[in-house]
Amino acid sequence: MQKNKWTDFPKVELHCHLDGSLSREFVEERLGRKVSLKELQVDRDCRSLLQYLEKFSLPLACLQDEEGLRGAGYDFIKSVSRENVRYVEVRFAPSLSAHGSLTCGRVIRSLLEGLEQGRRELGTEYNVIVCAMRGHTFEQNLAMLQAAREFLGQGVCGADLAGNEAAYPMADFLELFARAKEMGMPFTIHAGECGSPANIRDAIDAGAWRIGHGIAMRGQDELKRLCRQKNIGIELCPVSNLQTKAVESPGDYPLREFLDGGLKVTVNTDNRTVSGSTLSGELELVQELYGISDLEIRRMMENAAEVSFADDSVKQELLRQIRAAKGGDYETL
Ligand SMILES: [Zn+2]
């Protein structure tokens, strides 16, 4: 891993997929063969989200038994702790690992065991976000949420909706997330990544605490006003968004617009391995491309702590660590 000025800064990450973030060593160990970087990571000519999603089949094959899930949890914490991520919300779709006697409940339990081992040894706090899938039926997604509900507050912190946004609008999932709300489960929704602003609007109306990506909110004053009013967190993933062509050119990326518009912007990796990204690398990139100051980076880390699904005591401790961090211009305030 390449070090930069943000490597040792205490960080919070809210939007990171387990399968897209498994280390190459772990995938090789699980598959029992050498794996080329090309098999796991998109290259410069990635043209779309669909092409990006092709890279998930190999890592997903490593998550099909309890040993793989435990190992993946540990491998994930190892990767994020290396760059001083102090708290992470890792997301995955339990239904994509469940089959036969390996129920969603057992899938989640196995992953939590691996994450917990990582936390004990390496000190990074975590929570799991369970992803309902756009391509799955209402019944399938509801059964997964009910299984995950058993772990709420004990390793699971909330839900998400993932998958092909262009093919399945948010409007089809309003009933599912009304049920999540009844269960007391907070949620974030992938919306406006490559889809329309209407998906963001529907996600807000459904009661989303946060929006994954939200790129389609660019230039939409009414949506931005709603997000400000409801204190909705925006999970931007710059490297991934540029790779999947969520905007036509890097100059169209709305990070500066959202920040100046007073939104609760956070920066995330989305998929560490598929995107070839680290959180410190993302922070360095947005400083280079969009003139983000050190103080703004710190503010976005504070935003992440505030809009996270962590307990208040964890949030307070994260804010304390971020504010006490040394080095860079952020030290002068
Ligand atoms: Zn995502």
Side-chain angles (χ1 to χ4, degrees), residues 15 17 190 213 270:
H15 191 129
H17 294 262
H190 276 81
H213 306 296
D270 206 8

Side-chain angles (χ1 to χ4, degrees), residues 70 74 77 93 97 125 181-182 189 215 234 247 275 296 304-305:
R70 270 195 295 272
Y74 184 75
I77 295 291
S97 295
E125 298 287 335
K181 217 171 170 182
E182 277 170 29
I189 302 280
I215 306 298
I234 312 296
V247 285
S275 283
E296 288 171 317

